[in-house]
Short mmCIF file of all heavy atoms in Angstrom, two decimals:
data_model
loop_
_atom_site.label_atom_id
_atom_site.label_comp_id
_atom_site.label_asym_id
_atom_site.label_seq_id
_atom_site.Cartn_x
_atom_site.Cartn_y
_atom_site.Cartn_z
N ALA A 268 -31.94 -7.73 -22.68
CA ALA A 268 -31.91 -7.65 -21.22
C ALA A 268 -30.47 -7.52 -20.74
O ALA A 268 -29.53 -7.91 -21.42
CB ALA A 268 -32.55 -8.88 -20.60
N HIS A 269 -30.31 -6.94 -19.55
CA HIS A 269 -28.98 -6.84 -18.95
C HIS A 269 -29.03 -7.45 -17.56
O HIS A 269 -30.07 -7.77 -17.04
CB HIS A 269 -28.52 -5.38 -18.87
CG HIS A 269 -29.09 -4.64 -17.71
ND1 HIS A 269 -28.37 -3.72 -16.99
CD2 HIS A 269 -30.31 -4.66 -17.12
CE1 HIS A 269 -29.11 -3.23 -16.01
NE2 HIS A 269 -30.29 -3.78 -16.08
N HIS A 270 -27.85 -7.60 -16.96
CA HIS A 270 -27.75 -8.12 -15.59
C HIS A 270 -26.90 -7.14 -14.81
O HIS A 270 -25.67 -7.17 -14.87
CB HIS A 270 -27.12 -9.52 -15.58
CG HIS A 270 -27.27 -10.23 -14.27
ND1 HIS A 270 -26.87 -9.67 -13.07
CD2 HIS A 270 -27.79 -11.46 -13.96
CE1 HIS A 270 -27.12 -10.52 -12.09
NE2 HIS A 270 -27.68 -11.61 -12.59
N SER A 271 -27.56 -6.25 -14.06
CA SER A 271 -26.83 -5.19 -13.37
C SER A 271 -25.87 -5.74 -12.33
O SER A 271 -24.79 -5.19 -12.12
CB SER A 271 -27.82 -4.23 -12.69
OG SER A 271 -28.62 -4.91 -11.73
N GLY A 272 -26.24 -6.84 -11.68
CA GLY A 272 -25.36 -7.40 -10.66
C GLY A 272 -24.01 -7.81 -11.23
O GLY A 272 -22.97 -7.59 -10.61
N ILE A 273 -24.01 -8.40 -12.44
CA ILE A 273 -22.76 -8.84 -13.06
C ILE A 273 -21.90 -7.65 -13.42
O ILE A 273 -20.69 -7.60 -13.13
CB ILE A 273 -23.05 -9.72 -14.28
CG1 ILE A 273 -23.68 -11.06 -13.85
CG2 ILE A 273 -21.78 -9.96 -15.08
CD1 ILE A 273 -24.10 -11.93 -15.00
N ASN A 274 -22.48 -6.64 -14.09
CA ASN A 274 -21.71 -5.48 -14.51
C ASN A 274 -21.12 -4.73 -13.32
O ASN A 274 -19.95 -4.35 -13.33
CB ASN A 274 -22.58 -4.54 -15.35
CG ASN A 274 -22.89 -5.11 -16.72
OD1 ASN A 274 -22.37 -6.16 -17.10
ND2 ASN A 274 -23.72 -4.43 -17.47
N ASN A 275 -21.93 -4.50 -12.31
CA ASN A 275 -21.44 -3.78 -11.14
C ASN A 275 -20.39 -4.59 -10.38
O ASN A 275 -19.44 -4.03 -9.82
CB ASN A 275 -22.60 -3.40 -10.22
CG ASN A 275 -23.43 -2.27 -10.77
OD1 ASN A 275 -22.94 -1.44 -11.54
ND2 ASN A 275 -24.70 -2.22 -10.39
N TRP A 276 -20.56 -5.91 -10.34
CA TRP A 276 -19.59 -6.75 -9.64
C TRP A 276 -18.22 -6.69 -10.33
O TRP A 276 -17.18 -6.70 -9.67
CB TRP A 276 -20.10 -8.18 -9.57
CG TRP A 276 -19.17 -9.15 -8.91
CD1 TRP A 276 -18.72 -10.33 -9.41
CD2 TRP A 276 -18.59 -9.04 -7.60
NE1 TRP A 276 -17.90 -10.96 -8.52
CE2 TRP A 276 -17.80 -10.19 -7.39
CE3 TRP A 276 -18.65 -8.09 -6.60
CZ2 TRP A 276 -17.07 -10.41 -6.23
CZ3 TRP A 276 -17.94 -8.29 -5.42
CH2 TRP A 276 -17.15 -9.44 -5.25
N GLU A 277 -18.21 -6.60 -11.66
CA GLU A 277 -16.94 -6.44 -12.38
C GLU A 277 -16.22 -5.18 -11.92
O GLU A 277 -15.00 -5.17 -11.73
CB GLU A 277 -17.19 -6.39 -13.89
CG GLU A 277 -17.60 -7.71 -14.51
CD GLU A 277 -17.76 -7.60 -16.01
OE1 GLU A 277 -17.39 -6.54 -16.57
OE2 GLU A 277 -18.26 -8.55 -16.62
N VAL A 278 -16.98 -4.10 -11.76
CA VAL A 278 -16.39 -2.83 -11.32
C VAL A 278 -15.87 -2.96 -9.89
O VAL A 278 -14.75 -2.51 -9.57
CB VAL A 278 -17.42 -1.69 -11.43
CG1 VAL A 278 -16.83 -0.39 -10.89
CG2 VAL A 278 -17.87 -1.51 -12.88
N ILE A 279 -16.68 -3.54 -9.00
CA ILE A 279 -16.27 -3.70 -7.60
C ILE A 279 -14.98 -4.50 -7.51
O ILE A 279 -14.04 -4.11 -6.80
CB ILE A 279 -17.39 -4.37 -6.79
CG1 ILE A 279 -18.62 -3.45 -6.68
CG2 ILE A 279 -16.90 -4.74 -5.39
CD1 ILE A 279 -19.84 -4.11 -6.09
N LYS A 280 -14.90 -5.61 -8.23
CA LYS A 280 -13.70 -6.43 -8.18
C LYS A 280 -12.49 -5.67 -8.70
O LYS A 280 -11.40 -5.75 -8.12
CB LYS A 280 -13.91 -7.71 -9.01
CG LYS A 280 -14.84 -8.71 -8.36
CD LYS A 280 -14.81 -10.05 -9.09
CE LYS A 280 -15.32 -9.92 -10.51
NZ LYS A 280 -15.36 -11.25 -11.20
N SER A 281 -12.67 -4.92 -9.80
CA SER A 281 -11.54 -4.19 -10.37
C SER A 281 -11.02 -3.13 -9.41
O SER A 281 -9.80 -2.95 -9.25
CB SER A 281 -11.96 -3.54 -11.70
OG SER A 281 -12.24 -4.52 -12.67
N VAL A 282 -11.94 -2.41 -8.76
CA VAL A 282 -11.53 -1.37 -7.83
C VAL A 282 -10.83 -1.97 -6.62
O VAL A 282 -9.78 -1.49 -6.18
CB VAL A 282 -12.74 -0.52 -7.40
CG1 VAL A 282 -12.36 0.42 -6.25
CG2 VAL A 282 -13.26 0.29 -8.58
N ILE A 283 -11.39 -3.03 -6.06
CA ILE A 283 -10.77 -3.68 -4.90
C ILE A 283 -9.40 -4.26 -5.26
O ILE A 283 -8.46 -4.23 -4.44
CB ILE A 283 -11.70 -4.76 -4.33
CG1 ILE A 283 -12.93 -4.11 -3.70
CG2 ILE A 283 -10.98 -5.63 -3.30
CD1 ILE A 283 -13.97 -5.08 -3.20
N ASP A 284 -9.25 -4.73 -6.50
CA ASP A 284 -7.97 -5.27 -6.94
C ASP A 284 -6.94 -4.18 -7.25
O ASP A 284 -5.80 -4.49 -7.62
CB ASP A 284 -8.16 -6.16 -8.17
CG ASP A 284 -8.84 -7.48 -7.84
OD1 ASP A 284 -8.85 -7.86 -6.65
OD2 ASP A 284 -9.37 -8.12 -8.77
N GLY A 285 -7.36 -2.92 -7.15
CA GLY A 285 -6.43 -1.82 -7.34
C GLY A 285 -6.26 -1.34 -8.76
O GLY A 285 -5.25 -0.69 -9.08
N ASP A 286 -7.22 -1.62 -9.64
CA ASP A 286 -7.12 -1.18 -11.02
C ASP A 286 -7.29 0.34 -11.11
O ASP A 286 -8.38 0.87 -10.87
CB ASP A 286 -8.18 -1.87 -11.89
CG ASP A 286 -8.03 -1.54 -13.35
OD1 ASP A 286 -7.21 -2.19 -14.03
OD2 ASP A 286 -8.71 -0.60 -13.82
N ALA A 287 -6.23 1.04 -11.47
CA ALA A 287 -6.23 2.51 -11.45
C ALA A 287 -7.17 3.10 -12.50
O ALA A 287 -7.81 4.13 -12.25
CB ALA A 287 -4.81 3.03 -11.66
N LYS A 288 -7.26 2.46 -13.67
CA LYS A 288 -8.13 2.99 -14.74
C LYS A 288 -9.60 2.93 -14.34
O LYS A 288 -10.36 3.86 -14.59
CB LYS A 288 -7.89 2.22 -16.03
CG LYS A 288 -6.52 2.47 -16.66
CD LYS A 288 -6.38 1.73 -17.97
CE LYS A 288 -5.02 2.01 -18.62
NZ LYS A 288 -4.86 1.27 -19.90
N THR A 289 -10.00 1.83 -13.72
CA THR A 289 -11.39 1.70 -13.28
C THR A 289 -11.71 2.73 -12.21
O THR A 289 -12.77 3.37 -12.25
CB THR A 289 -11.64 0.28 -12.74
OG1 THR A 289 -11.34 -0.68 -13.75
CG2 THR A 289 -13.10 0.12 -12.33
N LEU A 290 -10.83 2.90 -11.25
CA LEU A 290 -11.06 3.87 -10.19
C LEU A 290 -11.11 5.29 -10.75
O LEU A 290 -11.95 6.10 -10.33
CB LEU A 290 -9.98 3.76 -9.12
CG LEU A 290 -10.14 4.70 -7.91
CD1 LEU A 290 -11.48 4.46 -7.22
CD2 LEU A 290 -8.99 4.49 -6.93
N ALA A 291 -10.26 5.60 -11.71
CA ALA A 291 -10.28 6.94 -12.32
C ALA A 291 -11.60 7.19 -13.04
O ALA A 291 -12.18 8.29 -12.95
CB ALA A 291 -9.11 7.08 -13.29
N ALA A 292 -12.09 6.18 -13.77
CA ALA A 292 -13.38 6.33 -14.46
C ALA A 292 -14.51 6.52 -13.46
O ALA A 292 -15.42 7.33 -13.67
CB ALA A 292 -13.64 5.11 -15.34
N LEU A 293 -14.45 5.78 -12.35
CA LEU A 293 -15.49 5.90 -11.32
C LEU A 293 -15.47 7.29 -10.69
O LEU A 293 -16.53 7.89 -10.43
CB LEU A 293 -15.27 4.82 -10.26
CG LEU A 293 -16.47 4.47 -9.39
CD1 LEU A 293 -17.58 3.85 -10.23
CD2 LEU A 293 -16.05 3.50 -8.30
N LYS A 294 -14.29 7.83 -10.48
CA LYS A 294 -14.19 9.19 -9.92
C LYS A 294 -14.71 10.22 -10.91
O LYS A 294 -15.32 11.23 -10.51
CB LYS A 294 -12.73 9.49 -9.56
CG LYS A 294 -12.25 8.74 -8.32
CD LYS A 294 -10.82 9.11 -7.95
CE LYS A 294 -10.40 8.44 -6.66
NZ LYS A 294 -9.00 8.78 -6.27
N ASP A 295 -14.50 9.99 -12.21
CA ASP A 295 -15.06 10.90 -13.22
C ASP A 295 -16.58 10.85 -13.22
O ASP A 295 -17.25 11.87 -13.37
CB ASP A 295 -14.52 10.55 -14.61
CG ASP A 295 -13.07 10.99 -14.79
OD1 ASP A 295 -12.60 11.81 -13.97
OD2 ASP A 295 -12.42 10.50 -15.73
N ILE A 296 -17.15 9.65 -13.04
CA ILE A 296 -18.61 9.53 -12.94
C ILE A 296 -19.12 10.30 -11.73
O ILE A 296 -20.15 10.98 -11.79
CB ILE A 296 -19.03 8.05 -12.86
CG1 ILE A 296 -18.84 7.38 -14.22
CG2 ILE A 296 -20.47 7.90 -12.40
CD1 ILE A 296 -19.13 5.90 -14.24
N ALA A 297 -18.38 10.23 -10.63
CA ALA A 297 -18.78 10.97 -9.43
C ALA A 297 -18.75 12.48 -9.67
O ALA A 297 -19.65 13.20 -9.21
CB ALA A 297 -17.86 10.60 -8.26
N LYS A 298 -17.76 12.97 -10.39
CA LYS A 298 -17.68 14.41 -10.70
C LYS A 298 -18.86 14.83 -11.57
O LYS A 298 -19.48 15.87 -11.33
CB LYS A 298 -16.37 14.72 -11.41
CG LYS A 298 -15.13 14.57 -10.54
CD LYS A 298 -13.85 14.79 -11.36
CE LYS A 298 -12.61 14.56 -10.52
NZ LYS A 298 -11.36 14.67 -11.33
N VAL A 299 -19.16 14.02 -12.59
CA VAL A 299 -20.28 14.34 -13.47
C VAL A 299 -21.59 14.32 -12.69
O VAL A 299 -22.45 15.19 -12.85
CB VAL A 299 -20.35 13.36 -14.65
CG1 VAL A 299 -21.62 13.59 -15.47
CG2 VAL A 299 -19.12 13.51 -15.54
N SER A 300 -21.75 13.32 -11.82
CA SER A 300 -22.98 13.20 -11.04
C SER A 300 -23.19 14.42 -10.14
O SER A 300 -24.32 14.90 -9.98
CB SER A 300 -22.95 11.92 -10.21
OG SER A 300 -24.19 11.69 -9.60
N ASP A 301 -22.11 14.92 -9.57
CA ASP A 301 -22.22 16.13 -8.75
C ASP A 301 -22.67 17.31 -9.59
O ASP A 301 -23.50 18.12 -9.15
CB ASP A 301 -20.87 16.42 -8.09
CG ASP A 301 -20.95 17.53 -7.06
OD1 ASP A 301 -21.71 17.38 -6.09
OD2 ASP A 301 -20.26 18.56 -7.23
N ARG A 302 -22.16 17.42 -10.83
CA ARG A 302 -22.59 18.50 -11.72
C ARG A 302 -24.05 18.34 -12.13
O ARG A 302 -24.79 19.32 -12.25
CB ARG A 302 -21.69 18.52 -12.97
CG ARG A 302 -20.24 18.89 -12.67
CD ARG A 302 -19.38 18.77 -13.91
NE ARG A 302 -17.97 18.85 -13.58
CZ ARG A 302 -17.03 18.10 -14.12
NH1 ARG A 302 -17.36 17.18 -15.05
NH2 ARG A 302 -15.77 18.24 -13.76
N VAL A 303 -24.48 17.10 -12.36
CA VAL A 303 -25.89 16.86 -12.70
C VAL A 303 -26.78 17.27 -11.54
O VAL A 303 -27.82 17.91 -11.73
CB VAL A 303 -26.11 15.37 -13.06
CG1 VAL A 303 -27.60 15.06 -13.16
CG2 VAL A 303 -25.41 15.04 -14.37
N ALA A 304 -26.38 16.90 -10.31
CA ALA A 304 -27.18 17.28 -9.14
C ALA A 304 -27.31 18.79 -9.04
O ALA A 304 -28.41 19.31 -8.78
CB ALA A 304 -26.52 16.71 -7.87
N ASN A 305 -26.23 19.52 -9.26
CA ASN A 305 -26.28 20.98 -9.20
C ASN A 305 -27.13 21.56 -10.32
O ASN A 305 -27.88 22.52 -10.11
CB ASN A 305 -24.87 21.57 -9.25
CG ASN A 305 -24.10 21.34 -7.96
OD1 ASN A 305 -24.69 21.27 -6.88
ND2 ASN A 305 -22.79 21.22 -8.07
N ALA A 306 -27.01 20.99 -11.54
CA ALA A 306 -27.83 21.46 -12.66
C ALA A 306 -29.31 21.26 -12.36
O ALA A 306 -30.15 22.11 -12.69
CB ALA A 306 -27.43 20.72 -13.93
N CYS A 307 -29.64 20.14 -11.72
CA CYS A 307 -31.04 19.88 -11.38
C CYS A 307 -31.52 20.84 -10.29
O CYS A 307 -32.65 21.35 -10.36
CB CYS A 307 -31.21 18.43 -10.93
SG CYS A 307 -30.97 17.21 -12.24
N ARG A 308 -30.69 21.09 -9.29
CA ARG A 308 -31.07 22.04 -8.24
C ARG A 308 -31.39 23.41 -8.83
O ARG A 308 -32.34 24.07 -8.44
CB ARG A 308 -29.95 22.18 -7.21
CG ARG A 308 -29.76 21.02 -6.27
CD ARG A 308 -28.80 21.40 -5.16
NE ARG A 308 -28.47 20.26 -4.30
CZ ARG A 308 -27.37 19.52 -4.42
NH1 ARG A 308 -26.48 19.80 -5.37
NH2 ARG A 308 -27.17 18.50 -3.60
N GLU A 309 -30.57 23.83 -9.81
CA GLU A 309 -30.72 25.16 -10.41
C GLU A 309 -31.63 25.14 -11.63
O GLU A 309 -31.85 26.16 -12.26
CB GLU A 309 -29.34 25.69 -10.79
CG GLU A 309 -28.42 25.86 -9.59
CD GLU A 309 -26.98 26.18 -10.00
OE1 GLU A 309 -26.76 26.45 -11.20
OE2 GLU A 309 -26.11 26.17 -9.12
#
Side-chain angles (χ1 to χ4, degrees):
H269 81 142
H270 193 307
S271 61
I273 292 175
N274 289 354
N275 287 333
W276 178 233
E277 289 183 9
V278 177
I279 293 171
K280 287 190 296 183
S281 294
V282 171
I283 291 176
D284 288 342
D286 185 84
K288 291 183 178 179
T289 302
L290 183 58
L293 200 65
K294 288 182 176 180
D295 285 344
I296 288 176
K298 292 175 184 176
V299 173
S300 189
D301 189 60
R302 294 175 192 139
V303 170
N305 287 330
C307 292
R308 287 191 186 98
E309 298 171 9

